[in-house]
Amino acid sequence: MAMKTRIKKAIFPAAGLGTRFLPATKASPKEMLPIVDKPMIQYAIEEATACGIEEFIIITGKYKRAIEDHFDSAYELEESLKRSGKKRLLEEINRLNRINFAYIRQRAALGLGHAILCARPFVKDEPFAVLLSDDIIDPEDTLFKDMINLYKELDCPILALQQVQKEEIHRYGVIDGLKEGDGVYKINNLVEKPRVEDAPSDMAIIGRYILMPDIFEILEGLGPGRGGEIQLTDALQRLLKKRSIYGYLFTGRRYDAGNKVGYLKATIDLALKNPQVSEPVKEYIIEVASRLKKGIRR
Ligand code: UTP
């Protein structure tokens, strides 16, 4: 029997064009947009660190250099913080210092499937995780940890799922599955961005995946799918013919911070959880709510 390999590597695709955030993303990466005081991608990196990931592979592209700089040391800044005795800030910026990052350029934004394929030479023949940083998971939640535990039990690819509203279903990959346990679904089929009447369920695939290296072979042979992109969902659909794939239903809070409203909601909720700003933010929200109630717009 093949021995189960621990998940040590994670891929963070960050080479998308971020068109929904234009003009902010014209020359700077969407993944660097801050939520309260941390760039989006740092939330995903910290989530992975907490679950024992040791190797971090970031897929980047044009105008994405700020990501590399962010996770690099910043000599002048560190010296200046040291001189002015700002120990807490110094610790904060050095917190991720021990992490090793690998950066791979995706030459053109040919789709999420293609972005993952770019990491093949680094992942080689191990199972690995994929985390999309514009899906922000409540940092107190254990989704990714639960997925790793499920993988250990089943030794199969695991996709994170969440129930989404009818109006939103066309934006996701959607599964048809058979419930096998608490939140655990054996996947029968998956469809990328279906029309609501064609959706096999209301369970959408969200941005956390545990995959095995056999997906690379399939991605390699895949042509462009919907929107001319190499779609991960198409590759998973083909993989289904060869092996079992499971879904894990997430019932906690997730923010689709790749769109403006989701991003603003994440900002509000995470500000309310941040002890440095929660009180004044709460007061302000109450003030805004009362203004809105009275019908005052400004
Ligand atoms: P999105 O679907 O959110 O695309 O990609 P996007 O380009 O970032 O944003 P919009 O839709 O134009 O506004 C999901 C994830 O996959 C990455 C993105 O960076 C994001 O983290 N991605 C997407 C790539 O790395 N390469 C691609 O070719 C496409």
Side-chain angles (χ1 to χ4, degrees):
M1 200 177 79
M3 215 176 65
K4 265 172 263 176
T5 322
R6 199 163 67 81
I7 311 278
K8 292 193 295 251
K9 296 178 178 171
I11 304 175
F12 301 82
L17 299 177
T19 47
R20 285 169 294 168
F21 260 107
L22 282 169
T25 46
K26 190 178 165 204
S28 42
K30 171 175 76 174
E31 294 74 14
M32 286 301 292
L33 290 174
I35 298 200
V36 187
D37 54 5
K38 275 192 285 200
M40 283 209 257
I41 192 165
Q42 190 170 338
Y43 287 91
I45 299 281
E46 289 179 0
E47 188 181 328
T49 324
C51 296
I53 295 295
E54 293 168 6
E55 291 175 55
F56 298 75
I57 303 160
I58 301 185
I59 311 297
T60 69
K62 260 200 192 66
Y63 308 120
K64 301 283 185 170
R65 271 235 296 278
I67 300 175
E68 291 172 53
D69 289 340
H70 178 70
F71 293 113
D72 200 354
S73 46
Y75 181 75
E76 270 180 74
L77 176 64
E78 284 167 33
E79 284 306 307
S80 153
L81 293 176
K82 252 184 237 165
R83 271 200 308 275
S84 49
K86 295 192 169 141
K87 261 177 84 177
R88 206 194 57 81
L89 275 178
L90 192 62
E91 272 165 32
E92 184 59 39
I93 66 159
N94 282 333
R95 209 147 49 87
L96 298 174
N97 255 9
R98 256 170 257 128
I99 295 182
N100 272 321
F101 291 97
Y103 295 93
I104 300 175
R105 288 279 278 226
Q106 185 187 17
R107 285 170 171 273
L110 299 178
L112 176 60
H114 181 262
I116 292 170
L117 183 58
C118 291
R120 186 178 195 176
F122 283 76
V123 174
K124 300 199 181 79
D125 53 2
E126 284 180 46
F128 60 97
V130 177
L131 293 92
L132 304 188
S133 52
D134 43 10
D135 260 345
I136 304 258
I137 303 293
D138 183 340
E140 285 169 26
D141 220 296
T142 58
L143 168 65
F144 189 50
K145 211 169 266 164
D146 296 343
M147 289 173 72
I148 289 181
N149 287 335
L150 191 60
Y151 159 77
K152 284 185 193 155
E153 194 184 307
L154 299 171
D155 203 14
C156 285
I158 314 282
L159 316 179
L161 307 173
Q162 192 174 43
Q163 287 176 308
V164 299
Q165 302 290 330
K166 274 203 182 91
E167 311 75 64
E168 297 194 334
I169 206 94
H170 69 276
R171 304 208 323 244
Y172 291 90
V174 181
I175 69 127
D176 174 27
L178 188 73
K179 191 168 179 183
E180 284 207 349
D182 203 12
V184 180
Y185 290 81
K186 187 164 189 291
I187 295 176
N188 293 324
N189 192 16
L190 13 85
V191 195
E192 180 65 16
K193 301 192 170 68
R195 290 186 307 188
V196 64
E197 55 273 28
D198 300 329
S201 76
D202 65 349
M203 282 186 287
I205 303 170
I206 60 170
R208 299 291 179 277
Y209 310 77
I210 291 176
L211 299 172
M212 296 164 100
D214 52 5
I215 193 81
F216 290 130
E217 211 52 61
I218 296 175
L219 284 169
E220 195 92 61
L222 211 62
R226 241 193 126 91
E229 296 192 336
I230 296 182
Q231 298 282 0
L232 178 62
T233 313
D234 293 344
L236 291 168
Q237 202 168 28
R238 289 201 191 180
L239 186 65
L240 255 185
K241 300 200 176 92
K242 298 188 183 168
R243 67 145 74 236
S244 302
I245 303 179
Y246 283 83
Y248 179 71
L249 186 63
F250 178 56
T251 52
R253 232 174 245 279
R254 173 188 67 101
Y255 305 92
D256 177 4
N259 77 65
K260 289 170 212 164
V261 174
Y263 174 82
L264 293 169
K265 285 182 181 172
T267 302
I268 292 169
D269 274 353
L270 293 179
L272 289 172
K273 283 189 177 202
N274 182 316
Q276 282 172 4
V277 298
S278 64
E279 270 313 308
V281 171
K282 193 165 97 188
E283 278 169 27
Y284 185 63
I285 292 172
I286 293 169
E287 184 201 314
V288 172
S290 94
R291 253 191 278 147
L292 291 174
K293 237 184 186 163
K294 290 184 199 143
I296 305 169
R297 282 183 167 227
R298 287 157 30 89

